[in-house]
Amino acid sequence: MGCAADLICELLLTGTAPSAIPKNIQIMYETLYQEKLEEPPPSVNFVRECRVVVEVIGETIAAIKLANKETWDQAFGDGTTRRQIPFFALVIGLLDDDGNLDPVVVSSCIFMEDERSETQADGIVAKVS
């Protein structure tokens, strides 16, 4: 990935809104180099596409951490709705060598058909399979 894409991913990880990132890149460049940015900054659409890269990296790290443990010590989740669409966040807790809990976010958004416990269980199984 190029420097701009790396910076975009870092900004996304810290919670910067995708629509603010192109202007932030322009301001950072002009502040650091004391000259105008010659090329236009990346488009908001490109920034939004970088969210997929961040998601894949996060899922890969979670899979590696979970695969390297023989047992998963805790599983917990949080269900909520947004605009009448139920979704569920799944977190698996792993104990490190010092006995500290390492929460691994498996998914922050598993969409459900409804909010019944059976549906949640099916959604979780489908996500980790």
Side-chain angles (χ1 to χ4, degrees):
M1 234 184 316
C3 288
D6 289 348
L7 178 58
I8 291 168
C9 290
E10 290 288 340
L11 290 169
L12 288 168
L13 285 170
T14 59
T16 305
S19 60
I21 290 177
K23 189 68 173 173
N24 286 351
I25 289 174
Q26 180 180 355
I27 291 168
M28 283 188 268
Y29 182 90
E30 291 173 1
T31 301
L32 290 171
Y33 294 106
Q34 297 297 310
E35 60 184 57
K36 294 282 184 194
L37 188 61
E38 293 176 16
E39 301 175 14
S43 69
V44 173
N45 188 49
F46 178 78
V47 172
R48 288 189 176 124
E49 290 173 1
C50 287
R51 292 185 295 193
V52 175
V53 174
V54 171
E55 180 183 8
V56 169
I57 291 169
E59 288 178 349
T60 303
I61 291 169
I64 290 169
K65 290 177 94 170
L66 294 172
N68 285 331
K69 287 288 191 174
E70 289 185 28
T71 61
W72 300 346
D73 303 293
Q74 222 177 30
F76 45 98
D78 176 32
T80 189
T81 60
R82 178 169 276 167
R83 297 183 183 148
Q84 288 110 18
I85 299 172
F87 60 95
F88 187 82
L90 175 63
V91 180
I92 295 178
L94 306 174
L95 287 179
D96 64 15
D97 295 335
D98 297 329
N100 298 319
L101 188 66
D102 178 14
V104 177
V105 177
V106 177
S107 178
S108 61
C109 191
I110 302 171
F111 290 101
M112 306 289 175
E113 289 179 33
D114 55 47
E115 297 181 73
R116 294 179 302 125
S117 58
E118 295 87 4
T119 307
Q120 290 181 355
D122 291 343
I124 291 167
V125 169
K127 182 63 180 180
V128 296
S129 294

